[in-house]
Amino acid sequence: MSRRNPTRAAPLRLTLRQLQIFAAIAQAGSTTAAAEEIALSQSATSAALNELESLLGGKLFDRAGRGLVLNEHGRSMLPQALAVLDAAQGLESQFGRAGRSAAPRLLLAASTTTGNYLLPALIAAWRRKVPAAGFVLEIGNTQHVARAVAEFEADLGFIEGPTTDARLKVIPWVRDELVVVCSPQHALLRAVRRRAGRATIAELREETWLLREAGSGTREVVEAALQPHLHRIRTDVELGSAEAIKSAASEGLGLTCLSRHAVQDLVGLGRLAILPTRLPAMGRMLYVIHHEHRHLSPTLERFLGFCLDTYRRRR
């Protein structure tokens, strides 16, 4: 069977501008807000939406008060529209406005450990290879990163917890070691050092633990590692970043379990100490994610390969 030749197909009636307007309305929730985002008048935005719905033969939104909410047809169309717009943006970035090769800016989203402790060195190494490369790096918890990538707000995501979003391709990246740390003056650490041993499960069960907020990949992994052994985790303090937890632990507020990458600076300065325990070795896999339907430009594909290869060589 011969393949269909796209150059002989009927002329396309859909335009990229229509898809851009549709996506802007879907994300902004009204034609007024979308018009501000895409520098059109509200009337022109509404007219473009009416033209698109007429072309497709059905409504894409339901009206909710003064706003617009995607209906089942709009929800089905949005991922495809975003994928088409993403591919078009990739072409513009790859070849530049004058038809020359360009070094596009990559939009990255990363969870705390990867964003604060792994990616800066990777970006610096990449820029030594490609000095014109540009990056925007947004840091949030694993759920935030997965959502940003799934909604085409980021080119790549780097996460430290599992995600089950079917829209995402998940690639194993780095094996990360988790360690228990506390203040060098913590009573349990001093007791362990006096007897030249390790903290017992019973001792750990009685301590106060400092944990990340719900939704953090680190929180989920730490709870999964500790709960089977401690059965209950005493936590009076939850904090929104690894840096805040490290500072709280260094002040003697409790024990915490974090990536070795995250604590090595304060351990080196003597403000934190690794607590030997009878817990089994703890670790988790870090992952790189991108949208299943995202067009990987040559620049994005090379940077992804660089990230994967850098840590594979270190194993």
Side-chain angles (χ1 to χ4, degrees), residues 51-286:
E51 182 181 357
L52 176 62
E53 289 180 327
S54 175
L55 181 63
L56 296 176
K59 294 292 185 182
L60 299 172
F61 294 91
D62 293 326
R63 183 164 295 281
R66 296 184 178 181
L68 294 173
V69 179
L70 287 169
N71 61 23
E72 66 275 17
H73 302 299
R75 288 193 299 271
S76 174
M77 178 174 165
L78 182 59
Q80 299 174 67
L82 290 174
V84 170
L85 292 169
D86 177 63
Q89 266 188 336
L91 285 172
E92 286 189 351
S93 297
Q94 180 181 349
F95 296 105
R97 293 186 178 180
R100 297 185 299 271
S101 179
R105 177 176 294 186
L106 298 182
L107 305 179
L108 309 180
S111 54
T112 305
T113 299
T114 56
N116 285 333
Y117 308 110
L118 296 180
L119 280 179
L122 277 175
I123 291 173
W126 180 252
R127 280 177 58 85
R128 287 193 288 271
K129 293 167 63 73
V130 186
F135 292 89
V136 175
L137 173 59
E138 182 178 352
I139 297 177
N141 64 35
T142 291
Q143 290 179 353
H144 173 89
V145 173
R147 183 170 60 251
V149 175
E151 295 178 0
F152 288 90
E153 295 172 1
D155 298 320
L156 290 178
F158 298 80
I159 58 175
E160 55 200 76
T163 178
T164 57
D165 194 319
R167 296 171 292 178
L168 301 177
K169 181 173 182 180
V170 181
I171 306 170
W173 182 35
V174 181
R175 183 71 182 172
D176 187 32
E177 181 186 4
L178 298 173
V179 292
V180 177
V181 294
C182 60
S183 164
Q185 286 76 46
H186 196 284
L188 179 56
L189 178 63
R190 294 203 304 268
V192 166
R193 284 176 172 172
R194 281 196 301 269
R195 65 178 187 250
R198 297 175 176 270
T200 66
I201 300 299
E203 288 173 322
L204 295 173
R205 192 176 291 137
E206 297 304 314
E207 294 295 332
T208 296
W209 289 81
L210 308 171
L211 297 180
R212 285 285 306 276
E213 81 286 0
S216 160
T218 298
R219 168 79 176 252
E220 294 176 0
V221 171
V222 167
E223 287 184 328
L226 296 179
Q227 198 72 42
H229 306 283
L230 304 187
H231 304 305
R232 61 184 177 88
I233 303 173
R234 290 181 51 193
T235 176
D236 300 323
V237 182
E238 293 184 5
L239 300 105
S241 72
E243 291 300 310
I245 287 180
K246 288 159 56 179
S247 295
S250 70
E251 295 295 333
L253 289 181
L255 308 182
T256 192
C257 182
L258 291 171
S259 163
R260 184 179 287 273
H261 293 291
V263 301
Q264 60 188 2
D265 54 348
L266 293 193
V267 171
L269 292 171
R271 294 181 54 198
L272 283 176
I274 295 176
L275 176 67
T277 76
R278 293 184 183 174
L279 291 168
M282 295 181 291
R284 39 99 183 266
M285 182 62 69
L286 307 181

Side-chain angles (χ1 to χ4, degrees), residues 3-30:
R3 292 186 178 182
R4 183 182 180 185
N5 186 343
T7 63
R8 296 180 181 175
L12 292 174
R13 294 181 294 165
L14 277 176
T15 68
L16 289 175
R17 189 58 167 166
Q18 288 172 329
L19 295 180
Q20 185 182 38
I21 291 169
F22 163 68
I25 297 171
Q27 292 166 354
S30 72

